[in-house]
Amino acid sequence: MDAAVNNMVSASMAMQQAQVIQEAQFSVFKEALDGQAAQISSLMDSVALDPQLATSGSVGTQINTTA
């Protein structure tokens, strides 16, 4: 009976250690995702909302159509 109890205690301790390791890995993963989200957000904020159209040159300033 003592061996069974010892085995259960060992298994329980191993599961607790695995859970702690998994929580630490999740925390690091979440920090990395938060950092990437901040970088993407700043990149999106730096993009102009209105597209700048061409005002000079031969490309994008004239439309030549025939019906």
Side-chain angles (χ1 to χ4, degrees):
M1 184 81 169
D2 289 334
V5 172
N6 287 339
N7 289 339
M8 281 299 264
V9 169
S10 295
S12 177
M13 295 294 287
M15 289 176 63
Q16 286 177 348
Q17 288 175 345
Q19 183 179 7
V20 169
I21 290 169
Q22 188 177 21
E23 287 175 359
Q25 289 173 341
F26 180 73
S27 176
V28 170
F29 180 66
K30 186 176 182 319
E31 287 179 19
L33 285 180
D34 289 343
Q36 288 179 354
Q39 288 177 350
I40 294 296
S41 178
S42 66
L43 180 64
M44 294 297 288
D45 290 341
S46 70
V47 174
L49 295 178
D50 296 328
Q52 301 297 321
L53 301 176
T55 57
S56 64
S58 61
V59 177
T61 58
Q62 299 175 0
I63 297 176
N64 187 5
T65 61
T66 56

